[in-house]
Amino acid sequence: MTTPPDPHTPLAPANTAATASPTAGPAAGPAPSPAAIGRRLSVVADQAPNSAAPAGCNSSSTSTDVLVEASRPRKAAAAKAGADIRGEVLLTLAQLRLATPRQLKALLLPRQQGTDHVRRALRNLLAESPALVGRTSRAQQSYWYCTTAGLAEAAVSGELAPTTGRTTGKRVAASKTGLREPGLALVDTVIAFHQAEMADHADWRVEVPHPTPAGNLVPDAVALLADGSSAFVEIDRTMSYARLLAKLERYDAYRGAPASGRGNAARAPRSHWQETYAGPSLERPFPPLLFVFAPAPRRSAPDTREATFHDRARPNWRITVATTTLHQLTHDGADRPVWRVVGHGEDRRALTALPKPR
């Protein structure tokens, strides 16, 4: 059974899929035009046709023919699924910087048993000239990211939120653990929110600068939640408690940062966060700050780090700060009561039940 294409994946023109060759990629050239994005993101995936059984086989040849014939629909389905999700794979890597095939499958093909379709799409993107994705392998695990050409291809699709300074995930993927493991933990967090229908995987922005009087604040990610509000997300594995507490001060400073630009004389001045997250009627409060404590070698267990953080953090009634561990988030679900709020005891709450900042 074939997997239907996602509506966000650019569709190819009427003749393109039928005439595309699995072995011939487009020639290298300048940045692609918007007209080219649908063609390149929807090229039919590579197929491995079965060869006919040779004549004069023994009595087992009939059984072999049946197996070969039975495998053809599955291989054809895999090829089509790889083509259908090709664009979504590229956009997801451009958005989240890096991911494993297992993570991409969880986001794009959650009902599939294996990662064959995703790997076929990744190989297809890797075979382009220039390659649209790259790969780093360590300990029998592959980590995939967008190349510069892939970012350009994804940008002209119009499906990505406009973000200045978007970079490839090559440095993150190649890092031994310092950058790669937090990046993977962030993707696992995105998966947990996506599976709980709390935030679609396409509605996340990674490392977007926010101005403060003391310099830019760069959250690990900002999630647009299903109810239209937003949340700041920070992944912690090895950061010192002093740096974690300093981040709280930076978020408090951001709350009072003025909006960029000249403003509008016809209305009262607004802060940057109001312009960005409060909505046209300023009905939404300051986004909650969500810390996710992930495991790391030679560090205290995440639940221990979470408890120590709560002991040291001072309640800030202008900002709602809630914490959880990556295990609890992925095991129980982002929509479950897994969030512990700083200054509100040890009880855990659902995301929708977090207190509003004053």
Side-chain angles (χ1 to χ4, degrees), residues 245-339:
L245 299 179
K247 273 217 163 185
L248 296 183
E249 296 178 1
R250 185 63 63 88
Y251 276 97
D252 186 67
Y254 170 63
R255 177 164 180 146
S260 305
R262 299 177 59 185
N264 188 337
R267 69 183 183 199
R270 299 180 179 180
S271 61
H272 186 277
W273 82 263
Q274 288 175 322
E275 290 281 4
T276 309
Y277 301 111
S281 303
L282 303 184
E283 72 276 12
R284 300 189 185 102
F286 189 83
L289 172 56
L290 307 177
F291 278 96
V292 179
F293 290 89
R298 297 181 296 278
R299 291 283 178 169
S300 300
D303 53 352
T304 301
R305 289 180 57 78
E306 182 188 26
T308 304
F309 174 77
H310 278 265
D311 291 340
R312 300 190 181 193
R314 286 183 172 183
N316 184 335
W317 307 119
R318 301 204 324 155
I319 301 175
T320 297
V321 182
T323 67
T324 190
T325 65
L326 183 61
H327 172 76
Q328 191 164 20
L329 181 67
T330 56
H331 182 268
D332 295 346
D335 58 336
R336 309 303 297 169
V338 299
W339 302 98

Side-chain angles (χ1 to χ4, degrees), residues 16-354:
T16 306
T19 59
S21 169
T23 58
S33 67
I37 188 70
R39 175 178 61 81
R40 294 206 27 183
L41 295 194
S42 301
V43 172
V44 174
D46 54 323
Q47 302 186 38
N50 295 290
S51 58
C57 287
N58 59 23
S59 59
S60 65
S61 62
T62 303
S63 172
T64 303
D65 289 341
V66 172
L67 290 176
V68 169
E69 290 298 331
S71 69
R72 283 175 179 163
R74 289 196 296 271
K75 290 192 175 184
K80 188 171 190 306
D84 288 343
I85 67 167
R86 174 187 160 93
E88 283 295 299
V89 166
L90 183 65
L91 292 173
T92 302
L93 289 177
Q95 189 168 28
L96 301 179
R97 295 194 306 175
L98 85 159
T100 66
R102 176 195 63 80
Q103 290 175 324
L104 290 169
K105 184 204 79 71
L107 288 172
L108 304 177
L109 294 174
R111 293 180 177 84
Q112 290 291 332
Q113 294 298 317
T115 60
D116 291 350
H117 297 342
V118 167
R119 291 180 186 277
R120 188 176 294 270
L122 288 168
R123 290 196 301 269
N124 196 296
L125 293 166
L126 184 64
E128 287 285 355
S129 180
L132 302 183
V133 299
R135 173 181 59 192
T136 296
S137 298
R138 292 182 183 273
Q140 298 182 336
Q141 176 62 272
S142 59
Y143 307 97
W144 294 79
Y145 57 89
C146 253
T147 63
T148 302
L151 286 179
E153 194 84 1
V156 298
S157 72
E159 295 289 337
L160 290 179
T163 300
T164 58
R166 193 184 296 274
T167 60
T168 75
K170 182 177 182 178
R171 186 171 67 95
V172 178
S175 172
K176 290 185 177 179
T177 57
L179 295 176
R180 187 181 69 241
E181 297 305 325
L184 296 174
L186 175 59
V187 179
D188 284 337
T189 299
V190 173
I191 293 171
F193 274 77
H194 182 75
Q195 291 176 337
E197 299 183 352
M198 297 296 294
D200 190 84
H201 74 275
D203 292 331
W204 288 71
R205 295 185 299 157
V206 176
E207 295 189 348
V208 178
H210 293 64
T212 78
N216 279 341
L217 163 70
V218 184
D220 287 341
V222 182
L224 175 63
L225 304 177
D227 63 1
S229 63
S230 299
F232 299 115
V233 178
E234 294 285 349
I235 306 295
D236 173 70
R237 294 180 68 251
T238 61
M239 193 176 293
S240 68
Y241 295 112
R243 290 180 61 194
L244 289 175
L245 299 179
K247 273 217 163 185
L248 296 183
E249 296 178 1
R250 185 63 63 88
Y251 276 97
D252 186 67
Y254 170 63
R255 177 164 180 146
S260 305
R262 299 177 59 185
N264 188 337
R267 69 183 183 199
R270 299 180 179 180
S271 61
H272 186 277
W273 82 263
Q274 288 175 322
E275 290 281 4
T276 309
Y277 301 111
S281 303
L282 303 184
E283 72 276 12
R284 300 189 185 102
F286 189 83
L289 172 56
L290 307 177
F291 278 96
V292 179
F293 290 89
R298 297 181 296 278
R299 291 283 178 169
S300 300
D303 53 352
T304 301
R305 289 180 57 78
E306 182 188 26
T308 304
F309 174 77
H310 278 265
D311 291 340
R312 300 190 181 193
R314 286 183 172 183
N316 184 335
W317 307 119
R318 301 204 324 155
I319 301 175
T320 297
V321 182
T323 67
T324 190
T325 65
L326 183 61
H327 172 76
Q328 191 164 20
L329 181 67
T330 56
H331 182 268
D332 295 346
D335 58 336
R336 309 303 297 169
V338 299
W339 302 98
R340 181 181 171 189
V341 183
V342 171
H344 289 262
E346 297 185 4
D347 292 340
R348 294 190 182 269
R349 311 182 185 201
L351 191 62
T352 54
L354 297 185

